[in-house]
């Protein structure tokens, strides 16, 4: 005999599962159960748990299966979108890394000429073209210049605004 | 296969996936294993048993509601379900068992051992059966694993091998653990019965 098992336990369990205990039980088996602690345990536990199961089933609050189905579909779809987006995000990070490396390589290669580049930039900044007052005066003298200043500003505003709205909606 | 052909194949799959995603259809590699009607029928047959298992093992009906919902959602997310309703049902119980384990392991939630005994005790209303009134307090004195094993064995009638599959324990361990658990449970139930008789 194995640990915690009686040879008649299967018969007792079969009767309990079919609902035949104790009415349909043979007197010989009933006598055995009264004398066998393992089979008595089985009867006690099985009948207690069967009653508890029946009672708990009545208590159960079920949802509509259609709602669960819909939520599962939504979850699957989100997971699929994430799976598709993962390589795109990876490519974006890769592109950013390449750009940074290129910038670093460019700076390293131009390091010796940095003072000349700085002087060139300061020359442009101090020149008359980038002073707003000078630009405004030129625009007043020539009517076509008003549009030349206004249109790039509007275009830049629209492009940057569009990008901002797109990024905000993505988030 | 040449590189050009391979690239064209990848391009076709990619375009197809994007088109399906835009149309609101899941990608082909995530084919739905069970249709809506089949799921509704399976749910009607299995939900009450699953809720009973979760509620009696965790002792908290609200938590059982949440865990049952999550178990079905995960079940529907499985790409390849086992064949047959019996195997699907066993798989569902396995998911629920894992969810219970995750819940107990989670540091934010209270351990099952810390739950008050009143959670397991049923109301003393007339609808509560005698066996239920006895089983609730006895279950509260058992460990969470013992509760799982006893419920699966004596309420759901699972064999040792099936319990091993559901709980992730070895079949040989189940035999020993169940033997100890049922001995303790029987003692608690007998004590409760004799105490009630003594009071009467």
């Amino acid at each position: 005999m194995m640990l915690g098992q009686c040879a008649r336990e299967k018969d007792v369990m079969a009767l309990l599962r079919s609902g035949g205990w104790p009415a349909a039980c043979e007197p010989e088996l009933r006598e055995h159960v009264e004398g066998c602690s393992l089979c008595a345990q089985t009867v006690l536990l099985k009948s207690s748990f069967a009653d508890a199961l029946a009672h708990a089933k009545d208590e159960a609050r079920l949802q509509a299966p259609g709602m669960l189905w819909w939520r599962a579909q939504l979850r699957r779809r989100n997971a699929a979108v994430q799976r598709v987006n993962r390589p795109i995000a990876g490519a974006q990070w890769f592109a950013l890394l390449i750009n940074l490396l290129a910038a670093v390589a460019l700076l390293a290669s131009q390091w010796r000429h940095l003072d000349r580049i700085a002087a060139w930039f300061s020359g442009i900044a101090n020149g008359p073209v980038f002073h707003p007052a000078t630009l405004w005066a030129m625009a007043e003298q020539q009517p076509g210049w008003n549009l030349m200043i206004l249109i790039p500003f509007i275009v830049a505003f629209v492009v940057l605004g569009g990008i901002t709205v797109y990024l905000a909606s993505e988030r | 296969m040449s590189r050009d052909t391979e690239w064209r194949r990848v391009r076709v799959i990619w375009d197809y996936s994007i088109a399906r995603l835009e149309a609101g259809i899941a990608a082909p590699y995530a084919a739905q294993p069970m249709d809506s009607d089949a799921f509704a029928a399976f749910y009607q047959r299995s939900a009450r048993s699953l809720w009973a298992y979760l509620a009696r093992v965790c002792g908290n009906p609200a938590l059982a509601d949440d865990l049952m919902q999550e178990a079905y959602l995960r079940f529907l997310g499985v790409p390849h379900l086992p064949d047959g309703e019996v195997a699907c049902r066993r798989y569902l119980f396995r998911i629920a068992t894992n969810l219970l384990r995750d819940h107990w392991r989670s540091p934010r939630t209270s351990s099952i051992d810390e739950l008050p005994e009143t959670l397991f005790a049923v109301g003393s209303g007339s609808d509560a059966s005698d066996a239920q009134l006895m089983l609730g307090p006895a279950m509260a004195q058992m460990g969470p694993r013992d509760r799982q094993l006893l419920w699966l064995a004596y309420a759901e009638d699972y064999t040792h091998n099936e319990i091993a599959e559901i709980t992730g324990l070895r079949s040989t361990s189940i035999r020993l653990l169940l033997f100890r658990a049922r001995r303790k449970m029987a003692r608690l139930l007998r004590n409760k019965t004799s105490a009630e008789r003594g009071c009467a």
Side-chain angles (χ1 to χ4, degrees), chain A residues 9 46 63 69 71 76, chain B residues 30 34 48 69 157 182:
Chain A
E9 200 178 349
K46 179 61 192 163
Q63 284 189 358
W69 175 262
R71 286 192 65 185
R76 287 167 72 87
Chain B
M34 197 183 260
R48 289 185 186 278
Q69 179 178 296
D157 290 333
R182 76 177 222 168

Side-chain angles (χ1 to χ4, degrees), chain A residues 54-94:
Chain A
H55 190 265
K57 277 183 174 179
D58 291 340
E59 279 178 40
R61 290 163 293 187
L62 302 190
Q63 284 189 358
M67 181 67 79
L68 278 172
W69 175 262
W70 179 79
R71 286 192 65 185
Q73 292 282 354
L74 200 67
R75 191 181 274 195
R76 287 167 72 87
R77 196 173 142 186
N78 289 342
V81 169
Q82 271 184 354
R83 270 199 297 270
V84 169
N85 282 341
R86 207 174 295 149
I88 295 172
Q92 282 175 340
W93 280 108
F94 183 71

Side-chain angles (χ1 to χ4, degrees), chain A residues 108-126:
Chain A
S109 67
Q110 299 296 320
W111 186 253
R112 288 181 183 177
H113 311 291
L114 205 63
D115 50 344
R116 274 199 289 168
I117 294 168
W120 183 71
F121 269 113
S122 64
I124 288 176
N126 293 331

